[in-house]
């Protein structure tokens, strides 16, 4: 029976986690552990999880001292999951953008793949509440990354993914260059270059209603040149 880990990085997500965690527990997925990676959120996210842990043996948390970016948080979570014997490792956001109802489809798809991407840009996928500009930026960003990196995939920037452990073992987690937004592109690109089988499963993404997104024009521009760097490195 495969061991499943869901890694959820958090920074000020107390209210969202209060809703998300029960939704995941209610699915009663066998052999599932949830690992929160919290960067010492000022809103007390870490404290909330400590309290919930008492009655949920499949919930745990890594406390990190300071906010050091999504990529670093994921790498810490991946390593922890690997050391605890995880077979399938999920990435998932805490902000209710990623509906747990899709977990079942990921688990079905990973049986025949090494990496499953939750995809907004294939049949059945979509975004429910972005304005036109935000949609265009995301669409263009994905077409750009797909073209520059020569990847036969439609959603490279999403953060709802499931890895087979071998992918993370071979990826060189300590050599990943992205700390922020590009982390998703870089991990998928590396998996592809290592020859792993990557499939997409459709998801409808819902923008967060509570808390703050880290998306900004600065992050977006940085992402563009970083994709070029990825392509021409090594
Ligand atoms: N641990 C940790 N989590 C983070 C950090 N930045 C963002 N997150 C979490 O990563 C997830 C995605 O972040 P979000 O700001 O919603 O990104 P967006 O959906 O791409 O706009 C959420 O669960 C955040 O709480 C960070 O520096 N450290
Ligand atoms: Mg978000």
């Amino acid at each position: 029976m495969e061991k499943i880990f869901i890694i959820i990085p958090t920074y000020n997500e107390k209210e969202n986690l209060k809703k998300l965690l029960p939704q995941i527990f209610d699915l009663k997925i066998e052999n599932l552990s949830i690992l929160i990676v919290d960067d010492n959120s000022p809103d007390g996210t870490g404290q909330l999880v400590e309290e919930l842990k008492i009655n949920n043996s499949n919930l745990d948390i890594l406390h990190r001292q300071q906010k050091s970016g999504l990529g670093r948080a994921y790498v810490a979570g991946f390593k922890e999951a690997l050391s605890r014997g995880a077979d399938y490792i999920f990435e998932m956001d805490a902000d209710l953008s990623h509906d747990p109802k899709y977990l079942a489809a990921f688990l079905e798809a990973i049986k025949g793949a090494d990496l499953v991407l939750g995809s907004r840009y294939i049949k059945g996928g979509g975004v429910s509440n972005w304005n036109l500009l935000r949609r265009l930026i995301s669409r263009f960003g994905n077409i750009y990354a797909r073209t520059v990196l020569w990847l036969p995939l439609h959603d490279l920037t999403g953060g709802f993914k499931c890895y087979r452990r071998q992918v993370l073992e071979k990826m060189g987690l300590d050599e990943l260059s992205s700390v922020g937004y590009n982390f998703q592109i870089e991990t998928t690109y590396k998996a592809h270059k290592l020859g792993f089988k990557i499939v997409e499963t459709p998801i409808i993404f819902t923008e967060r209603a509570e808390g703050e997104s880290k998306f900004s024009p600065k992050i977006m521009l940085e992402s563009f040149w970083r994709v070029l760097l990825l392509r021409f490195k090594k």
Side-chain angles (χ1 to χ4, degrees), residues 10-230:
T10 55
Y11 193 75
N12 288 343
E13 302 285 7
K14 189 174 166 189
E15 296 310 316
N16 287 322
L17 269 193
K18 277 185 193 166
K19 296 180 194 148
L20 178 68
L21 292 175
Q23 288 178 17
I24 301 177
F25 292 139
D26 282 350
L27 294 171
K28 305 220 178 327
I29 298 169
E30 266 184 272
N31 246 338
L32 173 75
S33 301
I34 302 174
L35 182 64
I36 308 293
V37 186
D38 185 65
D39 283 3
N40 206 1
S41 299
D43 78 343
T45 302
Q47 185 58 33
L48 170 80
V49 177
E50 285 296 336
E51 285 158 22
L52 294 174
K53 247 179 77 169
I54 299 169
N55 293 312
N56 294 288
S57 57
N58 53 352
L59 175 66
D60 209 349
I61 178 164
L62 284 184
H63 294 282
R64 292 162 55 79
Q65 283 315 307
Q66 57 186 23
K67 183 163 165 46
S68 46
L70 201 53
R72 293 286 173 267
Y74 269 126
V75 168
F78 289 161
K79 287 182 178 174
E80 184 66 22
L82 289 175
S83 79
R84 295 195 202 176
D87 296 297
Y88 300 153
I89 300 102
F90 279 88
E91 289 181 11
M92 191 173 178
D93 289 355
D95 59 357
L96 306 173
S97 290
H98 298 153
D99 193 325
K101 76 177 180 194
Y102 297 116
L103 289 169
F106 276 86
L107 288 170
E108 200 48 45
I110 195 73
K111 288 181 192 164
D114 299 304
L115 169 58
V116 181
L117 309 179
S119 184
R120 295 161 290 187
Y121 306 125
I122 58 173
K123 191 165 176 283
V127 178
S128 80
N129 53 349
W130 271 354
N131 63 30
L132 184 65
L133 180 66
R134 189 67 186 79
R135 278 171 200 263
L136 285 175
I137 290 170
S138 177
R139 276 315 265 257
F140 180 75
N142 271 292
I143 292 167
Y144 169 80
R146 174 188 155 97
T147 309
V148 170
L149 299 174
W150 206 252
L151 286 169
L153 299 160
H154 302 86
D155 195 343
L156 296 165
T157 52
F160 200 1
K161 300 161 78 164
C162 180
Y163 302 84
R164 213 171 254 277
R165 73 172 286 129
Q166 289 77 10
V167 179
L168 297 179
E169 283 171 338
K170 281 212 182 148
M171 178 154 326
L173 292 174
D174 289 319
E175 281 98 62
L176 294 175
S177 60
S178 314
V179 290
Y181 221 67
N182 263 45
F183 183 77
Q184 306 304 354
I185 302 174
E186 183 173 15
T187 46
T188 295
Y189 181 53
K190 285 225 164 145
H192 177 79
K193 286 218 300 187
L194 288 165
F196 286 112
K197 183 177 176 193
I198 307 175
V199 302
E200 292 178 277
T201 188
I203 60 159
I204 307 280
F205 176 97
T206 312
E207 186 51 90
R208 63 165 71 240
E210 302 223 34
E212 267 175 57
S213 164
K214 61 182 161 39
F215 186 81
S216 71
K218 181 175 166 261
I219 278 174
M220 188 190 81
L221 286 177
E222 187 183 329
S223 183
F224 277 96
W225 67 259
R226 280 193 176 273
V227 166
L228 280 178
L229 281 185
L230 270 186

